[in-house]
Amino acid sequence: MKNILVTGSVGQIGSELTLELRKRYGNDNVVAGINRTLPTGELAETGPYEKVDTTNIDDIKAVIEKYKIDTVYHLAAVLSAVGEQKPGLAWDIGVNGLYNVLELAREFNLAVFFPSSIGAFGPTTPLDNTPQDTIQRPTSMYGVTKVTGEMLCDYYHLRFGIDTRGVRYPGIISNVTLPGGGTTDYAVEIYYEAIKNRKYTCPLGKGTFLDMMYMPDAIDAAIDLMEADPGKLKHRNAFNITAMSLDPETVAAEIKKHMPDFKLDYDVDSVKQNIANSWPNSMDDSCAREEWGWDPKFDLAAMTEDMLKVIGEKHAKGQL
Ligand code: SER
């Protein structure tokens, strides 16, 4: 039986991944690591939660010892747009936090999942059909922390035999917890604004293509990779994964199929636009497909139908 710690468990991915891990491995075996924000609802009620400031190694160690943790899903991070406002914080949480987790992985023989990102690429990367192994010179602090994280995870595996694994997530679209300060956040906000106001003003310009994925696929990716046969993993860390390549017009056109009066306009945020311009338009995820069977279930049509249904129901109940 696994004993799992999820850091960043109240974040966009953590809040849903923690619940899915509890369903699969048992409520009491999955500890929600929290820092400043207290968990609410199902996350607080279904299993244990503990304060884990990942920049403080003693915090993490105490929880590992108390719950005999053997696996860490290390999600605590600062997203890309906030990272440009607070580069020191992005580095501290993104790199020093991971270093602490990896040092404890040596001491307690932990398996570690680390999410890298499309942000690990930069303007000199081939941006169409971006290969698994290619040029990585990101120009955002978020990207710098993600490339460093990828390399640290490789190093701890090669040097110390730690079972590190990870993916490069694209923008994740979800309807439970809002992302906070990422470049791809528009692809979440557009659905909420469609339901609430039937219009959306997008901070990324027309024709800005980026990889995206619906949350159920993002969660399956993390768990499936951690369950994969290690003998088949040639890469282990930083697998490119994607489900769709979208620009704002394409998302809006799909929403209009359900809501013909939906309107999209633009007010470009230069910080986010510069970051988006330096990220892939579409990644090649064939290594993930070959090495551990990555196969996303949701395309744009299925995701849009589900997003509008779930957010529409929340709106009707006055929960937005
Ligand atoms: N969603 C992230 C961001 O925009 C990318 O991994 O910062």
Side-chain angles (χ1 to χ4, degrees):
M1 181 60 74
K2 279 191 157 64
N3 289 322
I4 297 170
L5 168 64
V6 182
T7 69
S9 72
V10 296
Q12 186 199 11
I13 300 176
S15 58
E16 296 194 53
L17 177 64
T18 305
L19 296 182
E20 184 58 30
L21 289 167
R22 283 180 177 162
K23 275 188 203 134
R24 297 201 199 188
Y25 300 106
N27 284 345
D28 295 340
N29 301 322
V30 181
V31 182
I34 59 152
N35 191 8
R36 277 165 300 182
T37 310
L38 279 176
T40 55
E42 223 184 322
L43 191 60
E45 288 153 16
T46 53
Y49 63 86
E50 295 281 350
K51 173 152 188 313
V52 180
D53 171 356
T54 55
T55 63
N56 179 350
I57 197 165
D58 294 332
D59 261 21
I60 320 172
K61 186 171 179 172
V63 173
I64 287 169
E65 286 178 330
K66 180 173 172 187
Y67 293 91
K68 300 191 172 23
I69 296 296
D70 54 49
T71 303
V72 178
Y73 286 78
H74 177 51
L75 303 182
V78 170
L79 289 180
S80 57
V82 175
E84 291 312 291
Q85 287 156 14
K86 300 177 183 173
L89 184 71
W91 176 269
D92 201 21
I93 295 178
V95 178
N96 295 334
L98 174 64
Y99 177 78
N100 287 338
V101 169
L102 290 170
E103 278 297 295
L104 292 167
R106 282 176 68 188
E107 192 176 341
F108 294 93
N109 194 25
L110 310 173
V112 177
F113 174 83
F114 170 69
S116 185
S117 160
I118 50 175
F121 296 114
T124 50
T125 300
L127 297 183
D128 291 309
N129 209 23
T130 302
Q132 172 67 41
D133 301 306
T134 186
I135 300 165
Q136 290 183 264
R137 304 288 290 177
T139 47
S140 68
M141 179 52 98
Y142 178 72
V144 170
T145 67
K146 289 302 185 188
V147 177
T148 308
E150 290 181 5
M151 292 194 295
L152 278 174
C153 287
D154 278 347
Y155 178 78
Y156 274 73
H157 175 65
L158 294 169
R159 176 81 167 79
F160 304 115
I162 303 301
D163 186 4
T164 54
R165 305 185 190 192
V167 296
R168 293 186 184 122
Y169 276 128
I172 307 293
I173 297 167
S174 66
N175 52 50
V176 174
T177 305
L178 290 171
T183 300
T184 58
D185 292 11
Y186 93 83
V188 177
E189 291 159 1
I190 193 169
Y191 288 102
Y192 280 84
E193 292 306 310
I195 292 291
K196 288 195 282 189
N197 302 315
R198 291 188 136 55
K199 63 180 167 60
Y200 179 61
T201 302
C202 188
L204 295 186
K206 201 169 181 169
T208 307
F209 278 89
L210 292 166
D211 286 294
M212 299 282 173
M213 180 182 297
Y214 200 30
M215 184 63 91
D217 284 323
I219 288 172
D220 281 350
I223 300 175
D224 289 354
L225 175 57
M226 291 307 280
E227 291 283 359
D229 173 357
K232 296 198 173 134
L233 300 180
K234 293 189 203 112
H235 284 86
R236 302 196 73 96
N237 293 297
F239 281 97
N240 285 1
I241 55 167
T242 183
M244 48 198 121
S245 167
L246 302 176
D247 79 329
E249 290 288 309
T250 312
V251 184
E254 193 62 36
I255 292 173
K256 275 187 194 163
K257 291 182 188 167
H258 301 260
M259 196 183 276
D261 60 340
F262 176 69
K263 296 256 178 320
L264 173 69
D265 61 14
Y266 297 92
D267 181 10
V268 170
D269 173 325
S270 61
V271 173
K272 288 187 177 181
Q273 188 66 52
N274 283 340
I275 293 174
N277 290 347
S278 75
W279 287 359
N281 305 319
S282 64
M283 288 189 291
D284 172 0
D285 61 4
S286 51
C287 289
R289 290 174 186 269
E290 281 157 25
E291 292 177 38
W292 51 277
W294 163 242
D295 186 17
K297 297 184 186 67
F298 283 87
D299 61 10
L300 175 61
M303 176 180 78
T304 299
E305 196 177 327
D306 200 51
M307 282 292 280
L308 293 176
K309 179 172 162 282
V310 174
I311 299 168
E313 285 166 3
K314 283 192 189 182
H315 189 53
K317 288 185 201 152
Q319 292 171 348
L320 294 187

